Amino acid sequence: MRQVLLDLQSGSIEVEDVPVPAVTKGVVVENAYSLISAGTESSLINLAGQSLVGKARSRPDDVKKVLQKIGTDGPLPAYRQAMSRLTKPEPLGYSCAGTVVRTGTDDFEVGDRVACAGAGYAVHAEYVAVPKNLCVRVPDGVSFREAAFTTVGSIAMHGIRNARVTVGENVAVIGLGLIGLLTVQILKAAGCRVIGIDIDREKLALAARLGADAISNYDGLTERMKVFSPFGADAVVITAATPSSAPVETAGRLVRDKGRVVVVGNVGMNVPRDVFYEKEAEVVVSRSYGPGRYDRNYEERGIDYPIYVRWTERRNMEAFLDLVQQKKIDLDHLITHTFPLDSAPEAYNLISTGKERYIGVLLQYSPNGAGAAGTVTRLAEPEARRREAPAGARTIGCIGAGVHAQSALYPNLPGLPVNLGGVATATGLSAHSVAKKYGFAYCTTDYRTILDDPGIDAVLIATRNDLHAPMAIDALRAGKDVFVEKPLATEIDGLRGVVRAYNESGKRLMVGFNRRFSPLARRMKEFFGNRATPMVLHYRVNAGQIPPGHWVHDDEQGGGMLISECCHFIDFMQYMTGARPVQVYARAIEPTGNLRKYDNFQATLAFDDGSLGTVTYTTLGDRSYSKETVEVFCDNAVGRITDFRDLELRRGGKVSRERRWLAQEKGFAEELLAFVKGEEADFAGSVATTLATFQAWESIDTGAPKEIDLGRVGL
């Protein structure tokens, strides 16, 4: 299929062939029209067109994160991660309409006419995969070209709801672009009197044509406002887009005592306190298109709010379409340009240059789809830098292309003695960009294509945590050797399934416990070779806060930090001791505020050789401090690794130190090389590690130590 992509490095717009996305908890829609949001999309394009310095100045928070990463990981990993984000094309668009061609929910059937919303979902592409709560049916009598405005219309709708207007109230709308003109019409449909304010005469005239009771530029505005409403506006809705705070200042002068100012557009927010204080006016910044926005449970998992949360984003979308069906909103006068999909660069050029006046700019799609509708796209010419693999080299297929995969794993692929077969991700864009960058033969949105490919004999799985176990099981049963990122499983039944598939398949499985492959770790293990006593180990992790909404905290998808991260440190202890964990006792800080129960804990493990290890994991520290420090005490000697950049070994008063200046040595390249060369992995150890994290969780819940018995999972 064809999709509009933004190159974040150059700012150029391209239309490329990518695989049709997979359906999950929603629908796949064949687009008829999509709407270009001139303000939102232009700001992203303008950012992409800036130099690296300009991008840094525009995103100071991102720069701070990069500097923190340099401090812990070194400049090379920080650079690679930053560049991996810049080299990944960005999808554009968030409002479209079309026909359901595949469904994964009972809410919709194939053939339904729907309007779709959401950045990253309702994009400019021939086919889009959209969660069910971001889709609504298009009523009879409403065309696809009208329905393509639904997302933007719901933004206007939510802004008006935040203004809490009632029939007969006087409302001022500052900024008469697309959202402003929609706001005027919705307010009129709600029984309000409206004055539209803008500097553009043509937009003022159009607002009057669409029902505004009064219009005004800024010259003489005070006098016109007195005529319109002597006591001031009951509410002011700001839909302008400007870095200036002038709209907010103007709103303060126009609003009545105890009135309401709602900021919908992206404007400067230097609020004049004295003006708003004297009127005791309320200021609200309207967040997108209603409750549910930015809530993963609502948007991704399809969990709706009770009806007492009356106007969710989906219900706002439905309400907007109802007004369109009732002919209370006129969209014909707002559609100024329609471009075919392949002319998208021309459409964006129109917007960026302003060579013609525009309001609503649509992209139109062929009724039957101009591009292929398959889930596989073959790359005609892989990247020239892809070197030839040795004769008889294995062919590897990859599943997943998240931040970790693209910053830590995939950069090592060109240096491996393998052929790169296919790469699969849920979205066609990420699959295509990774395949193009690293030289895969094809990309797909159906991971079973990788498993069914007889030319692929090894699979790398780097998806979200909850998919690791089921995909590893499928890959083993398909007769492939498997490299799967940690954790191996997020619950015990999944772990049992992996063990059963491993025992039945006779294939190899390696878990991405990379730290044991670090050259510094191997140097430390050699230092303690031929030891005479058990070890005492302490692994301290200063993790820093991870946003509460991040998917890793989701019990279904991520398993929490104890399951998804602690496994690394337990595996490291197994490697260092050469022993199996047999018991774990763990305690955690009780949740309070933003602190989650399993994010700040200590787990003490007993090993079958008498060694003891403690993992201290906390999100309460300062990120500028070292992230990982592991200390090993044994045979009157001490070893310490800090952030896998510093190694210190002490024995008999003598100190040996090693320092890596440019980058951490976490063992990513070494583990992948071991996998493709066919080295036997410690599968039983990986299972023991995973089971230990489950038992640590149970220990926290019960307050008692827990035994780690591999017999529970079939080993």
Side-chain angles (χ1 to χ4, degrees):
M1 71 170 191
R2 307 281 282 164
Q3 180 171 354
V4 179
L5 305 177
L6 169 65
D7 186 322
L8 288 174
Q9 288 184 293
S10 66
S12 65
I13 305 292
E14 299 176 350
V15 182
E16 296 224 25
D17 287 314
V18 302
V20 172
V23 63
T24 51
K25 296 180 179 179
V27 294
V28 173
V29 175
E30 182 181 350
N31 264 339
Y33 288 90
S34 60
L35 175 70
I36 295 178
S37 173
T40 301
E41 295 181 49
S42 291
S43 62
L44 182 59
I45 294 169
N46 291 336
L47 174 65
Q50 295 179 22
S51 65
L52 286 176
V53 174
K55 290 182 175 75
R57 288 174 176 168
S58 300
R59 300 283 181 91
D61 289 344
D62 288 346
V63 172
K64 184 178 179 180
K65 292 177 183 177
V66 171
L67 293 176
Q68 289 172 341
K69 190 170 183 66
I70 290 173
T72 56
D73 297 8
L76 281 182
Y79 173 79
R80 289 186 189 125
Q81 183 168 317
M83 294 308 296
S84 72
R85 297 187 184 215
L86 286 176
T87 55
K88 180 181 178 182
E90 184 75 15
L92 294 173
Y94 61 86
S95 187
C96 64
T99 305
V100 174
V101 294
R102 252 179 278 160
T103 181
T105 171
D106 293 336
D107 289 35
F108 298 97
E109 297 179 353
V110 172
D112 283 347
R113 301 166 68 243
V114 294
C116 309
Y121 298 117
V123 295
H124 302 311
E126 288 181 306
Y127 296 87
V128 294
V130 185
K132 68 177 187 178
N133 278 346
L134 294 178
C135 277
V136 295
R137 285 185 176 83
V138 177
D140 293 339
V142 177
S143 67
F144 280 134
R145 69 199 299 264
E146 292 173 312
F149 284 79
T150 300
T151 307
V152 176
S154 64
I155 293 172
M157 189 78 72
H158 185 54
I160 292 168
R161 297 198 193 286
N162 277 323
R164 304 194 306 277
V165 296
T166 57
V167 175
E169 286 197 309
N170 300 318
V171 184
V173 179
I174 300 178
L176 298 176
L178 176 57
I179 294 180
L181 292 168
L182 291 173
T183 300
V184 168
Q185 295 183 74
I186 296 169
L187 285 167
K188 290 302 298 178
C192 297
R193 297 179 68 245
V194 183
I195 179 171
I197 302 165
D198 203 290
I199 59 175
D200 188 315
R201 291 182 179 180
E202 291 192 16
K203 290 179 179 178
L204 289 169
L206 182 53
R209 194 177 309 134
L210 295 174
D213 299 280
I215 55 174
S216 180
N217 57 20
Y218 287 90
D219 296 332
L221 175 58
T222 302
E223 290 71 23
R224 292 190 187 96
M225 190 65 198
K226 288 179 180 178
V227 173
F228 176 72
S229 177
F231 50 78
D234 295 293
V236 180
V237 181
I238 301 173
T239 55
T242 172
S244 168
S245 295
V248 173
E249 295 166 2
T250 300
R253 294 193 297 271
L254 299 181
V255 72
R256 66 166 169 81
D257 280 7
K258 298 186 182 298
R260 301 171 297 282
V261 174
V262 177
V263 181
V264 176
N266 185 9
V267 297
M269 290 294 294
N270 185 14
V271 179
R273 183 183 183 279
D274 290 348
V275 174
F276 282 83
Y277 174 80
E278 289 173 5
K279 295 184 175 182
E280 202 173 20
E282 180 180 350
V283 180
V284 175
V285 178
S286 189
R287 186 175 66 183
S288 201
Y289 30 95
R293 189 71 183 108
Y294 310 112
D295 181 344
R296 289 185 57 252
N297 282 330
Y298 180 90
E299 292 192 332
E300 293 184 24
R301 300 176 65 183
I303 301 174
D304 202 357
Y305 295 157
I307 194 61
Y308 56 74
V309 184
R310 182 64 182 91
W311 294 110
T312 61
E313 51 187 320
R314 186 175 181 180
R315 293 168 193 151
N316 274 332
M317 293 167 67
E318 291 170 335
F320 175 78
L321 285 171
D322 285 343
L323 291 178
V324 176
Q325 184 187 38
Q326 296 169 41
K327 308 300 182 185
K328 293 183 178 180
I329 293 179
D330 177 359
L331 294 170
D332 287 337
H333 283 91
L334 301 183
I335 300 173
T336 56
H337 297 81
T338 301
F339 292 86
L341 174 64
D342 283 332
S343 297
E346 184 181 335
Y348 284 99
N349 183 59
L350 165 73
I351 292 170
S352 63
T353 61
K355 61 183 179 181
E356 296 179 28
R357 288 184 174 273
Y358 64 86
I359 297 177
V361 181
L362 291 171
L363 295 180
Q364 184 177 13
Y365 300 81
S366 168
N368 299 312
T375 57
V376 177
T377 297
R378 297 197 172 273
L379 278 70
E381 297 181 3
E383 287 287 300
R385 64 180 173 178
R386 177 188 173 197
R387 66 179 181 80
E388 291 296 322
R394 314 188 75 192
T395 299
I396 191 171
C398 296
I399 304 173
V403 172
H404 175 71
Q406 293 201 55
S407 60
L409 299 179
Y410 293 169
N412 297 299
L413 294 178
L416 297 177
V418 293
N419 295 304
L420 299 180
V423 58
T425 69
T427 63
L429 172 56
S430 60
H432 180 266
S433 63
V434 169
K436 185 176 179 181
K437 181 176 181 179
Y438 294 107
F440 285 85
Y442 65 88
C443 56
T444 178
T445 51
D446 183 356
Y447 80 95
R448 294 187 183 277
T449 301
I450 303 290
L451 304 187
D452 294 339
D453 187 340
I456 290 176
D457 48 23
V459 174
L460 187 157
I461 299 170
T463 57
R464 285 186 174 180
N465 294 350
D466 61 312
L467 299 177
H468 290 178
M471 285 187 175
I473 292 169
D474 288 346
L476 289 169
R477 289 176 175 166
K480 315 293 186 185
D481 285 344
V482 176
F483 177 97
V484 57
E485 256 307 322
K486 57 80 192 170
L488 178 57
T490 57
E491 42 79 31
I492 196 163
D493 286 340
L495 184 59
R496 289 191 181 106
V498 172
V499 171
R500 186 162 52 249
Y502 174 84
N503 289 336
E504 293 171 353
S505 70
K507 307 304 291 186
R508 292 188 310 120
L509 185 146
M510 176 184 288
V511 182
F513 294 135
N514 53 281
R515 285 157 177 80
R516 65 164 55 209
F517 291 92
S518 167
L520 298 181
R522 297 196 166 188
R523 176 77 181 88
M524 179 185 278
K525 187 173 178 68
E526 292 170 0
F527 177 73
F528 288 109
N530 301 315
R531 61 187 172 92
T533 67
M535 288 181 165
V536 173
L537 308 96
H538 183 219
Y539 208 125
R540 188 269 300 150
V541 185
N542 173 41
Q545 288 284 350
I546 293 179
H550 193 279
W551 65 265
V552 77
H553 289 307
D554 189 296
D555 290 344
E556 178 182 331
Q557 292 186 332
M561 304 311 294
L562 193 158
I563 301 297
S564 65
E565 290 293 319
C566 188
C567 53
H568 264 314
F569 319 127
I570 296 174
D571 177 78
F572 184 91
M573 292 178 178
Q574 279 199 84
Y575 168 71
M576 198 57 57
T577 60
R580 297 279 184 256
V582 293
Q583 187 186 71
V584 60
Y585 175 65
R587 295 294 300 271
I589 291 178
E590 288 300 312
T592 177
N594 289 329
L595 298 181
R596 297 174 63 90
K597 184 172 184 178
Y598 305 102
D599 281 5
N600 290 274
F601 60 85
Q602 285 189 318
T604 298
L605 297 107
F607 293 84
D608 61 11
D609 71 337
S611 295
L612 293 175
T614 299
V615 176
T616 299
Y617 189 96
T618 179
T619 63
L620 301 178
D622 186 331
R623 279 188 180 272
S624 64
Y625 193 61
S626 62
K627 182 178 180 180
E628 292 184 32
T629 298
V630 56
E631 296 175 309
V632 179
F633 304 87
C634 178
D635 281 348
N636 299 315
V638 179
R640 183 181 67 191
I641 296 175
T642 303
D643 286 332
F644 286 89
R645 296 178 68 189
D646 293 284
L647 172 66
E648 180 180 316
L649 303 172
R650 291 176 177 265
R651 178 179 283 128
K654 296 181 179 180
V655 182
S656 169
R657 291 189 176 92
E658 294 183 32
R659 167 77 172 171
R660 305 296 188 264
W661 296 99
L662 294 180
Q664 293 177 310
E665 286 192 349
K666 276 193 170 181
F668 293 115
E670 291 82 1
E671 68 174 348
L672 291 176
L673 182 61
F675 174 67
V676 300
K677 288 174 65 176
E679 293 183 13
E680 196 60 42
D682 183 10
F683 177 74
S686 296
V687 173
T689 288
T690 308
L691 184 58
T693 62
F694 298 161
Q695 295 299 86
W697 187 302
E698 190 173 336
S699 177
I700 290 172
D701 283 346
T702 62
K706 294 295 175 181
E707 304 302 312
I708 302 167
D709 178 8
L710 293 181
R712 290 186 61 195
V713 293
L715 279 183

